Amino acid sequence: MKLLITAVKRLRIAPVCSGGGVRGCRSSAARPAAADSGLLSSRDDALVFGSSAELVRHLRPQVEVKTGFITEEEEAEFMRELEPGLRKKRYEFDHWDDAIHGFRETERVRWGAACEEVLTRVRSVAFPDGSALLGPVHILDLDKKGFIKPHVDSVKFCGSTIAGLSLLSDSIMRLVKESNTSDWLDLLLPRRSLYILRNQARYDFTHEILKDEESVFNGQNVPRQRRISVICRNLPV
Ligand code: OGA
Ligand code: MN
């Protein structure tokens, strides 16, 4: 267990944003305003917003957000399984070098039937048939004041695809191209949605979850509450 947790911590070894961590990243005030700027993708319009129409088009096949992927009952089922263990841990706020601020985390291999059924659904939509998955599912509990700084998941420990369920709160995930930080994509992750990042979106772009004060999607405030993500990953080939 200890070893696996260490491995999970190492998934985030590269907290990067060219400007140097979260403070170097563009603020939402710096981005082009505009619901009507034509930068929205044509499908799932409301959930993906980017720095240019071309980038949105290019990255769109590698980024999915599925609204209402789980029901309220399924969310409650996850909370019943996860809350007792999480409650025993303290949120970690102190380490400014870490990629995540205001969080507690765990991982789980065995689930009750209802959650296992949801996870089977996640795996079947997110990963190609027969791909080898990271055994334990990663659970990340972000405090209302918590956030995830820009980082790329370790290429050593995880493969081409990251799939995450969002529980308890809406949030914004921002992708920023490592080699050109003016290329960015914001994903609105509604509570109970599933997001999937694949290939370039996973390797060439950092991802982050915005803090409450910066949680603005296409000009619209998206208040952050406590948020729990349930994340499945595959193994590198
Ligand atoms: C991570 C991460 C995203 C999320 O733990 O590496 O990026 O949805 N999590 O919590
Ligand atoms: Mn990550």
Side-chain angles (χ1 to χ4, degrees):
M1 181 71 176
K2 184 83 175 78
L3 188 67
L4 288 171
I5 296 225
T6 309
V8 166
K9 282 196 195 277
R10 267 190 262 132
L11 295 174
R12 299 181 296 267
I13 49 177
V16 249
C17 185
S18 309
V22 74
R23 274 154 296 193
C25 281
R26 61 177 55 253
S27 74
S28 50
R31 64 200 43 240
D36 56 355
S37 64
L39 305 182
L40 298 169
S41 75
S42 54
R43 287 180 306 138
D44 280 337
D45 278 2
L47 306 178
V48 180
F49 183 69
S51 52
S52 73
E54 194 192 343
L55 180 75
V56 171
R57 209 167 26 245
H58 177 71
L59 220 53
R60 200 62 192 83
Q62 302 172 41
V63 169
E64 284 186 66
V65 182
K66 295 176 179 292
T67 321
F69 191 81
I70 60 172
T71 63
E72 285 180 31
E73 293 72 32
E74 288 168 333
E75 180 186 48
E77 199 57 50
F78 272 100
M79 289 312 295
R80 261 194 292 279
E81 286 212 30
L82 296 172
E83 186 73 311
L86 288 171
R87 216 184 286 135
K88 291 186 192 134
K89 300 172 187 245
R90 244 186 245 154
Y91 287 110
E92 296 179 37
F93 278 99
D94 313 333
H95 315 293
W96 272 95
D97 287 348
D98 285 353
I100 311 186
H101 186 73
F103 74 105
R104 48 193 183 186
E105 66 184 341
T106 186
E107 55 184 8
R108 185 172 281 241
V109 177
R110 274 173 235 298
W111 296 84
C115 295
E116 188 57 45
E117 197 214 295
V118 171
L119 291 168
T120 301
R121 231 158 67 214
V122 170
R123 292 175 186 121
S124 73
V125 303
F127 302 100
D129 274 349
S131 71
L133 304 185
L134 203 68
V137 174
H138 178 198
I139 291 100
L140 187 68
D141 180 351
L142 276 186
D143 180 74
K144 179 177 165 51
K145 294 197 176 312
F147 57 93
I148 306 180
K149 298 181 199 177
H151 68 280
V152 174
D153 285 16
S154 162
V155 294
K156 194 165 163 201
F157 292 101
C158 38
S160 62
T161 305
I162 302 165
L165 292 168
S166 299
L167 313 182
L168 303 184
S169 178
D170 302 337
S171 60
I172 299 171
M173 177 176 273
R174 177 164 299 160
L175 307 185
V176 179
K177 192 168 190 180
E178 278 204 273
S179 62
N180 176 10
T181 55
S182 58
D183 281 355
W184 55 266
L185 202 69
D186 279 356
L187 309 179
L188 176 57
L189 306 180
R191 178 179 185 179
R192 293 189 292 276
S193 65
L194 173 73
Y195 70 83
I196 306 170
L197 304 181
R198 298 191 173 90
N199 304 323
Q200 277 175 296
R202 173 260 184 276
Y203 291 115
D204 300 345
F205 287 72
T206 58
H207 56 272
E208 61 193 291
I209 296 285
L210 302 185
K211 62 172 77 163
D212 187 44
E213 303 93 279
E214 294 172 0
S215 196
V216 179
F217 180 81
N218 188 16
Q220 191 189 325
N221 252 350
V222 179
R224 264 283 319 286
Q225 313 296 334
R226 175 190 179 197
R227 169 185 184 267
I228 295 182
S229 51
V230 176
I231 308 163
C232 299
R233 297 177 169 97
N234 57 359
L235 290 167
V237 281

